[in-house]
Amino acid sequence: MPDWQKLVGQRLAGLALGAAEKQEIYTELAGHLEESYECLRAEGLADQEAIHRTLAQVADWRDLQRRIIIAKKTEDPMQNRLHQLWIPGFLTLTLSTIFLMTLQIHGYQPRIISWNGPDTILLYVPWLLSLPLFGGLGAYLSQRAGSPGSRVLLASIFPVLSLAACLFVILPVSFIVDAHVEHRIRMASFLRSFFEWVLVPGAALLAGGLPVQFFLSRRLASRRTAVD
Amino acid sequence: MIGSGIKRGTAELAVLSVLQEGPLHGYELARRIEQQTNGALHFTLAALYPMLYRMEQQRWIRGSWETSRNGRRRRCYRLTPGGKKKLAPLRREWAELFRALHRLTKVAHA
């Protein structure tokens, strides 16, 4: 009878897992092969035939190795979402908010861009300049947790998504609270806020998130090609 | 040809259903499925373990090492509460699919 443990160890030598976990897999699979072999022998098969039939359970050991690695790296979908979206997203949101608050505490005044008389927009330029960095960080953390591309981008623009959500809550509330304000003025104010706090910061975050996502996904693809 | 999604779904249903009866190690689990389906479902080692590991990562089943009476160490798998929760809708979906296929084939023969 072959040394099944040794045989499995040799054929799955490239399992990219921790030593203890790898050893457990070898023991488990070797136990399975040994029981299959003993069962076939008990049915009356000759030694060589039983070995042949037992080993025929695995047509391609490299493929089995690959599938075990994929399976071991599969995570709970909830855990996935936590690591790929919520943690990077909230970190990006927190850091960018702290930076904006620091600017405001230190008395930094926003740049006022005016056109057409009273129509103005306020832009915190140093904050906007910092956003590509935060967007890139969110994208990096999300990509490192194995996110698909769309989720990487969502994590990188997470701060503006939460701001957009706030604005969309504030708008209907303002219809009730400030009922005397003209709709035209209210909508203009909403659009201006949307531009200042969602569109421009969103573009800045994407300016950091997109290159990181592009660069990391290409690196990952080339690594996969090398493994295959 | 049966698609991989359908194959995976039936395999998961088979494993969860059999483990609902009690904990089993991999080899015994494969044998039990084969016996209970009169050989219609047959799991080789290469098909079984990646699936068990994936289901374990998804917390539907839990594996733990046990020593049998003959001193052999085996990893026994048992259903988790998450697995039990997964099993009920899975059963419903497959029952619906089979009913639909049955209706379809009856119409085709009519």
Side-chain angles (χ1 to χ4, degrees):
Chain A
M1 183 174 79
D3 181 343
W4 297 107
Q5 179 89 15
K6 196 173 155 195
L7 185 143
V8 173
Q10 281 168 350
R11 299 195 179 187
L12 296 180
L15 263 184
L17 296 170
E21 195 173 18
K22 209 151 77 165
Q23 209 53 48
E24 284 195 345
I25 290 171
Y26 293 164
T27 307
E28 184 171 26
L29 301 193
H32 184 110
L33 290 176
E34 194 173 332
E35 280 191 72
S36 300
Y37 166 82
E38 283 171 359
C39 191
L40 291 169
R41 288 288 285 150
E43 284 171 14
L45 259 70
D47 186 55
Q48 282 308 308
E49 179 60 18
I51 291 172
H52 178 74
R53 295 252 307 254
T54 301
L55 287 176
Q57 288 193 54
V58 186
D60 184 345
W61 286 89
R62 273 191 65 171
D63 181 57
L64 174 62
Q65 185 169 281
R66 190 182 58 83
R67 289 194 297 123
I68 289 175
I69 292 169
I70 292 170
K72 284 280 181 186
K73 294 196 170 156
T74 307
E75 277 188 57
D76 182 5
M78 286 293 283
Q79 284 283 322
N80 267 346
R81 216 168 295 147
L82 182 73
H83 291 112
Q84 295 174 353
L85 178 64
W86 298 115
I87 291 177
F90 272 107
L91 189 71
T92 314
L93 173 65
T94 309
L95 290 176
S96 60
T97 309
I98 288 173
F99 187 61
L100 179 63
M101 283 166 66
T102 311
L103 286 175
Q104 289 170 335
I105 287 168
H106 285 86
Y108 182 83
Q109 295 300 315
R111 191 182 177 89
I112 299 169
I113 298 171
S114 170
W115 79 100
N116 194 20
D119 290 336
T120 56
I121 54 166
L122 307 179
L123 296 175
Y124 285 88
V125 178
W127 180 64
L128 289 175
L129 290 176
S130 74
L131 289 181
L133 187 73
F134 296 127
L137 176 72
Y140 170 73
L141 293 174
S142 178
Q143 180 92 31
R144 209 179 61 160
S147 290
S150 56
R151 196 171 286 176
V152 171
L153 294 180
L154 270 184
S156 79
I157 60 163
F158 194 85
V160 292
L161 293 181
S162 43
L163 285 169
C166 289
L167 286 177
F168 279 108
V169 171
I170 289 168
L171 182 67
V173 171
S174 74
F175 277 96
I176 303 161
V177 177
D178 298 323
H180 59 280
V181 178
E182 261 185 64
H183 286 343
R184 190 182 58 82
I185 295 171
R186 199 195 324 271
M187 283 314 292
S189 165
F190 173 78
L191 290 174
R192 200 165 46 237
S193 301
F194 195 80
F195 184 79
E196 288 167 353
W197 295 105
V198 179
L199 283 185
V200 178
L205 287 164
L206 269 183
L210 268 174
V212 168
Q213 195 263 335
F214 179 72
F215 175 71
L216 289 180
S217 60
R218 276 189 61 150
R219 208 171 67 165
L220 201 69
S222 64
R223 232 187 252 169
R224 274 194 196 126
T225 314
V227 169
D228 292 343
Chain B
M1 192 175 157
I2 300 171
S4 62
I6 292 179
K7 268 188 198 165
R8 180 191 277 192
T10 46
E12 284 171 354
L13 178 63
V15 169
L16 293 175
S17 300
V18 170
L19 286 181
Q20 197 184 25
E21 296 164 12
L24 288 170
H25 63 276
Y27 180 75
E28 193 54 41
L29 178 67
R31 269 180 70 112
R32 196 72 67 86
I33 291 171
E34 197 170 340
Q35 281 167 1
Q36 289 187 7
T37 61
N38 294 327
L41 285 180
H42 171 73
F43 283 93
T44 61
L45 178 147
L48 181 67
Y49 287 92
M51 183 178 59
L52 287 178
Y53 296 151
R54 185 169 44 77
M55 290 170 80
E56 196 177 14
Q57 289 294 102
Q58 288 169 318
R59 301 194 174 95
W60 297 346
I61 59 173
R62 197 181 69 244
S64 56
W65 287 97
E66 287 171 13
T67 308
S68 65
R69 267 175 292 180
N70 59 11
R72 192 176 271 170
R73 284 187 76 224
R74 289 156 158 177
R75 195 138 194 272
C76 273
Y77 292 93
R78 42 179 54 79
L79 208 58
T80 63
K84 280 179 196 157
K85 226 184 267 178
K86 175 80 189 166
L87 183 58
L90 207 58
R91 274 193 173 138
R92 255 198 320 272
E93 280 168 30
W94 281 96
E96 256 171 52
L97 177 68
F98 287 127
R99 271 198 300 273
L101 288 173
H102 185 63
R103 278 196 301 270
L104 200 67
T105 47
K106 264 167 63 178
V107 169
H109 282 297

